[in-house]
Amino acid sequence: MTLANRIQEQRKLKGISQEELADKIGVSRQAVSKWESEQCMPDLDKIIILSDYFGVTTDYLIKGTETCNNNKSLPEEEVLFTTNIFYITGIASNVLGFVSTLIIWLTWQNYFAFLVGTIFMIYSFFAMFFAENINRFLIKKQPSLLKIKKYKYIMLNNWIWLFFPIVILFNTVCSIFNIITNLGVRNMICGIIYIIICSFVTYFCFRKINNEK
């Protein structure tokens, strides 16, 4: 690992952007970008400022010979395994809740179906919370990695999370104000709204993932 890699690693461990790091140490964002891409090296006085800000020694930044005190973590494979367990069970619970709700509703037309689905989907939210925070507080993995995995999780699940709320809310509004009485037209418009909202959330997460890389 080079000096450039260690600067980038510590910046991501802090969970800040290149621009934010530049503001902290009094340089331009382009300077930080050049350091991390190995186009140039920071001056000695900037290395000292970086070491103070990151809470590591200058020897660690320059030579990598000392253990970084605030980067203690399990091997990456173990961290990813721990995180993935929560995310996989969260996705499975979300899908199971969605399918269960549809089956119960189509079979008995009972609103109990939505309660069943909600219970499963609530766990999927808790799974995301546990996956992010068990690593951040106990394993101390880099926040940037956790954010990327979280946004990927949201990208996958938002299409299920938002389906029933959008359908129920849209149909409730139409019924209250007595608009779009034609069922076919109502379903088509509801579907378009659903696709637009979920696509926006997916695009937002995609942009966040690219920013964290």
Side-chain angles (χ1 to χ4, degrees):
M1 185 181 290
T2 64
L3 171 61
N5 296 139
R6 284 187 284 274
I7 292 175
Q8 185 180 64
E9 177 188 62
Q10 292 299 310
R11 175 178 64 78
K12 290 184 176 181
L13 185 62
K14 284 280 189 180
I16 61 175
S17 65
Q18 290 183 344
E19 186 173 359
E20 289 172 319
L21 176 58
D23 290 338
K24 295 290 184 181
I25 60 178
V27 298
S28 66
R29 189 200 65 77
Q30 289 77 10
V32 175
S33 177
K34 289 181 178 180
W35 295 346
E36 294 188 358
S37 60
E38 298 186 276
Q39 295 181 41
C40 66
M41 293 181 61
D43 296 331
L44 180 59
D45 62 322
K46 297 304 181 186
I47 291 178
I48 294 174
I49 295 174
L50 285 168
S51 69
D52 289 340
Y53 177 67
F54 290 140
V56 299
T57 64
T58 54
D59 280 346
Y60 173 77
L61 284 179
I62 297 172
K63 298 184 292 184
T65 53
E66 296 185 6
T67 301
C68 172
N69 292 332
N70 66 342
N71 194 33
K72 295 177 181 178
S73 63
L74 293 177
E76 184 172 328
E77 293 78 10
E78 294 184 36
V79 175
L80 293 177
F81 177 79
T82 305
T83 306
N84 288 338
I85 287 295
F86 282 107
Y87 282 138
I88 290 172
T89 58
I91 292 172
S93 178
N94 207 18
V95 172
L96 183 59
F98 182 80
V99 173
S100 299
T101 300
L102 285 181
I103 292 175
I104 295 174
W105 176 256
L106 294 175
T107 304
W108 292 288
Q109 298 287 304
N110 192 318
Y111 284 99
F112 174 73
F114 297 104
L115 176 61
V116 173
T118 300
I119 292 173
F120 280 105
M121 291 178 191
I122 286 175
Y123 171 76
S124 70
F125 280 102
F126 276 106
M128 180 174 66
F129 174 81
F130 291 141
E132 182 177 11
N133 289 286
I134 193 172
N135 289 286
R136 177 177 295 170
F137 296 117
L138 300 182
I139 304 178
K140 303 184 187 303
K141 193 56 184 173
Q142 295 180 8
S144 59
L145 174 61
L146 298 178
K147 289 178 182 178
I148 289 174
K149 295 185 76 63
K150 179 180 70 175
Y151 287 124
K152 287 182 177 179
Y153 183 77
I154 295 173
M155 282 177 65
L156 290 172
N157 285 283
N158 89 93
W159 293 86
I160 295 179
W161 285 337
L162 296 175
F163 181 80
F164 291 122
I166 290 174
V167 171
I168 293 172
L169 180 61
F170 180 78
N171 281 281
T172 300
V173 170
C174 289
S175 298
I176 291 175
F177 295 98
N178 196 28
I179 56 177
I180 317 178
T181 55
N182 184 285
L183 184 60
V185 175
R186 179 185 294 186
N187 290 338
M188 182 181 68
I189 295 176
C190 183
I192 292 173
I193 294 173
Y194 164 74
I195 292 173
I196 291 174
I197 294 175
C198 292
S199 296
F200 175 79
V201 174
T202 300
Y203 175 73
F204 172 81
C205 292
F206 181 76
R207 289 290 300 273
K208 286 291 187 179
I209 290 171
N210 286 338
N211 291 339
E212 292 295 332
K213 290 182 178 178

